[in-house]
Each structure stands twice: as C-alpha cells, then as structure tokens.
Amino acid sequence: MGAWDAWIGGEETRADQLTPALLARFRATIDSEATGDTAPQGIHFCLCTPDTATGYLDADGHPRRGGLLPPVPLPRRMWASSKIDFLSPIPAGAAITRQSTVADIQEKTGTAGALVFVTIEHLTHAEGVAAVREEQTIVYRAASTDAPAPRPADQPVDLSDWPWRRPLTPGPTLLFRYSALTFNSHRIHYDLPYAVEEECYRGLVVHGPLTATLLLDLVAREIGHNRLRHFAFRGAAPAFAGEPLHLVGRQTGDAITLSALGGDGRTIMTADAAL
C-alpha cells in the first residue's frame, strides 16, 4: 500500500449559488463580452470555493493541510492542470452543488526533488443538472531557495501560426479581483514581498485558472459563448503581473488549440478544446 492510499476515494460535497451579482463580477473581471442570463464557461472555478476561517490558514494563505486533501508535507502547492467536460450551461440564479473525490495520488521525483501529484474529480450540478465534470491535478513540491529569476526581455513573438490573438498585460488589480471571486488567499497572487522573498518568484503570480479562463474567453470572442464540450489545460511556466501575455488559438474543424505565451515567447500554458 502506498503512503497516501488511504486518502484515495475521499469525498466532499459543497453547495453554492450562482447569483446574478457573482456573474456580473466575473464578467467585469475578465472584460467578458457576454450578456444574458447564462454564465460564460469558466464560471465553475468561482463556485463552491473554500471557506476556511482566517485563523485556520497557513502562512502561505492556503487552508491548513487536512480535510479532503492529504496532509502532504511538501510546502508548495500549485494547480498543475485540468481536464474539463462542459455538460450543460449554468444559468444565473442556479443552485449549485459540487461533489469532489480524490481519484489518485502519485509520488514522483523531478529536477527540483520530490513531487506529489493529487488528482481530484469534481462533478458540478446546477439545479440538479450535471453541468461540469473536471479532473484537476494539484502538485506539491519543496520550497525553492533560488533567487528570483530576472524578467526576460520582451521581444517580437512570431504569432503567424495563430489566427486568434489577444494581447493582455495582467495587472495587480486583475489578480486581486480574481482572488476575490475564487476566495483564493494564496499570498503569491497579492502579497509582493511574500511572493519574492518567501516563494522566490520575481513578481505576483497570475492564477493558473485565471489564465485558463482568459483562454476560454478568447474562444468565446472568436466563435461565441458556451460552444465548447471539452477543455483541457496544463501550466508550463508562471505568468507574472505587469508582464505581457499573448493569448492565442486556432481552430481545425471541431478541434481548437490554444496557448498563453509570455512577452519573450516562452509557453505559459497549453490547452486544447473541442466543440
């Protein structure tokens, strides 16, 4: 039996409501062009969020270890990837339930040392109708002791292979708003001294699901809202507040390829989608 096998199969159910006010704030945060009473795809990241009391947060702002997630002793925790099936649209005012199950836990060794990957399966219902199925992978790793890497020089990026393009420079205000929408208190997203001095980043870190949401919004701008059946993303490198992002995509039949690129052309996130 593996060290974490006893945690596999653990379940948690949470309830929420997609209020019209939350929907309006979500659209305002990402400058969505959507209107009407149906939420854009990606709203589920803002539903059934953690509500841990402030006194039970760790020094990094995350809830203390325990509950659904195993108490992995590695101090750094990141959202690595997700595979998402959109089953039905979520209307404003809908009562929401989400059942989460620990599907897998794997220990690995990377270039920076020990890693633990935890896979969580989420099933979100809106008014009793299955709306979103997601397989989320969280990675735990050791703390970095390296000095923050300097910002690479921005340079012309060849986007000729990407007919869909949206340049964007995420700022601290965007990160603050998304943290508020998702009740995400991880300090790397809003506490610059902590992000630089404690976690050795060169700036405030853009949330992985925020970058994914911006890619979903790019699709909506190009072909319309709530068109996707499937969406999967994987983080490749951190994006930082104040640094340019190129949100890009292309469509071949029912298949869509997406990416977020840094100002120097490095890959921040890759994603694929299907109509």
Side-chain angles (χ1 to χ4, degrees):
M1 176 178 288
W4 304 108
D5 285 359
W7 291 83
I8 297 176
E11 295 184 352
E12 175 186 80
T13 300
R14 304 186 67 83
D16 205 344
Q17 183 179 19
L18 176 53
T19 65
L22 173 58
L23 176 55
R25 289 192 293 267
F26 176 80
R27 287 172 172 165
T29 296
I30 64 170
D31 292 322
S32 172
E33 298 174 347
T35 58
D37 293 331
T38 301
Q41 291 176 325
I43 192 70
H44 70 284
F45 294 137
C46 306
L47 297 168
C48 299
T49 58
D51 53 7
T52 304
T54 301
Y56 287 88
L57 298 176
D58 270 336
D60 62 1
H62 277 310
R64 293 177 189 171
R65 306 301 168 90
L68 178 69
L69 295 174
V72 177
L74 298 171
R76 300 293 181 252
R77 187 176 89 190
M78 298 174 293
W79 191 325
S81 63
S82 277
K83 298 176 182 177
I84 303 165
D85 293 318
F86 295 109
L87 307 175
S88 63
I90 301 178
I96 306 296
T97 58
R98 187 186 72 188
Q99 183 175 22
S100 302
T101 306
V102 179
D104 190 34
I105 303 175
Q106 294 189 18
E107 296 182 80
K108 299 183 179 181
T109 301
T111 56
L115 301 169
V116 176
F117 292 85
V118 179
T119 301
I120 312 292
E121 293 179 349
H122 303 289
L123 181 59
T124 299
H125 286 78
E127 294 295 336
V129 177
V132 182
R133 180 186 295 112
E134 177 178 9
E135 181 182 282
Q136 175 192 9
T137 299
I138 300 166
V139 61
Y140 295 81
R141 62 172 178 82
S144 174
T145 57
D146 297 333
R151 173 179 172 174
D154 296 337
Q155 55 187 321
V157 179
D158 183 5
L159 303 178
S160 59
D161 287 340
W162 301 101
W164 299 354
R165 306 169 192 169
R166 183 189 176 200
L168 175 71
T169 300
T173 303
L174 174 59
L175 271 60
F176 167 81
R177 283 182 148 197
Y178 195 76
S179 287
L181 281 174
T182 56
F183 209 56
N184 183 343
S185 50
H186 192 186
R187 292 168 65 184
I188 63 172
H189 304 305
Y190 61 87
D191 185 339
L192 182 59
Y194 174 85
V196 174
E197 297 167 13
E198 297 296 327
E199 299 216 14
C200 300
Y201 292 110
R202 64 171 177 265
L204 295 176
V205 180
V206 179
H207 317 63
L210 172 56
T211 302
T213 296
L214 293 171
L215 290 175
L216 285 168
D217 181 64
L218 175 68
V219 175
R221 290 166 183 259
E222 294 291 339
I223 64 172
H225 298 276
N226 285 287
R227 294 286 310 279
L228 297 181
R229 293 185 300 103
H230 175 77
F231 177 74
F233 70 86
R234 180 175 298 276
F240 297 100
E243 299 186 14
L245 273 181
H246 300 281
L247 305 170
V248 295
R250 58 175 172 262
Q251 180 179 1
T252 305
D254 287 343
I256 296 171
T257 303
L258 300 155
S259 190
L261 308 174
D264 61 339
R266 74 190 186 284
T267 300
I268 301 297
M269 179 174 286
T270 59
D272 61 77
L275 300 179

